[in-house]
């Protein structure tokens, strides 16, 4: 059985960017929140932000996979 598709609402994030050094506006830091679950991740650079997004995408895929014995749809 194939996994269910990830719903668009499972991929909604809020990102808070912090101005940590006005002399270096290219530095990136802040917090990422997955809106549906409320999971939060602090990040100190762009690479860490991408790692947080990759983790959340993986979680969204896992959450979309039906558990054994779980009814995912009812056909009349």
């Amino acid at each position: 059985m194939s996994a269910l598709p990830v719903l668009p609402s499972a991929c909604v994030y809020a990102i808070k960017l912090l101005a940590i050094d006005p002399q270096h506006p290219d530095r990136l830091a802040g917090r990422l929140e997955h809106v549906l679950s409320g999971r939060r991740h602090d990040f100190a650079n762009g690479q860490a932000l991408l790692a947080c997004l990759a983790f959340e995408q993986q979680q969204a895929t896992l959450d979309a996979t039906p558990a054994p014995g779980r009814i995912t749809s009812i056909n009349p």
Side-chain angles (χ1 to χ4, degrees), residues 3-71:
L4 296 175
V6 176
L7 300 175
S9 62
C11 299
V12 176
Y13 306 95
I15 299 178
K16 178 181 180 180
L17 296 176
L18 303 174
I20 54 177
D21 186 355
Q23 299 299 324
H24 297 94
D26 57 335
R27 292 201 52 209
L28 186 64
R31 174 176 284 170
L32 172 77
E33 180 174 345
H34 183 252
V35 174
L36 198 60
S37 69
R39 287 186 298 267
R40 296 178 181 167
H41 308 273
D42 292 327
F43 57 90
N45 55 49
Q47 186 176 6
L49 172 58
L50 292 176
C52 293
L53 287 167
F55 172 82
E56 285 299 335
Q57 185 63 36
Q58 181 182 32
Q59 288 300 116
T61 302
L62 290 174
D63 292 346
T65 304
R70 181 174 143 197
I71 297 174

